[in-house]
Each structure stands twice: as structure tokens, then as C-alpha cells.
Amino acid sequence: MEGTRMPIIDIAVACGFMSASHFAKCFRIINGFSPQQCRTMVPVWVGPGLG
């Protein structure tokens, strides 16, 4: 989600889901936020040597 601008349906299909809605539902259950929200979030960690 964070490393691509691919449409969510394309990401869902690439992950084996048959629909974007099912992917989004599972994503929200696991992560606590939607795929759309994930794309608008500020990264919560800084890589090695960058902080």
C-alpha cells in the first residue's frame, strides 16, 4: 500500500483477493484502518541512520 500507487483493486487481486471490498475488510480487521487511510498516514518509523 505504501510503496505503490497501484489501484487498490490491483493490489487486492495481486494478493489473491477476488474483490477490493473483501481485501479492504480483511485489511481493516488486521491493521485497524482501511487501505485508503494507510495511504494518507505519515510513516510511523524512521529507517536506520535517518533519525
Side-chain angles (χ1 to χ4, degrees):
M1 296 300 310
E2 298 168 351
T4 182
R5 292 185 183 259
M6 286 174 57
I8 292 172
I9 183 61
D10 292 345
I11 295 169
V13 170
C15 293
F17 289 88
M18 297 301 291
S19 71
S21 61
H22 186 218
F23 170 73
K25 180 179 178 180
C26 293
F27 188 97
R28 181 184 292 275
I29 289 169
I30 292 169
N31 296 295
F33 47 84
S34 72
Q36 293 84 357
Q37 289 171 316
C38 179
R39 286 195 163 164
T40 62
M41 296 173 118
V42 176
V44 294
W45 67 275
V46 177
L50 300 175

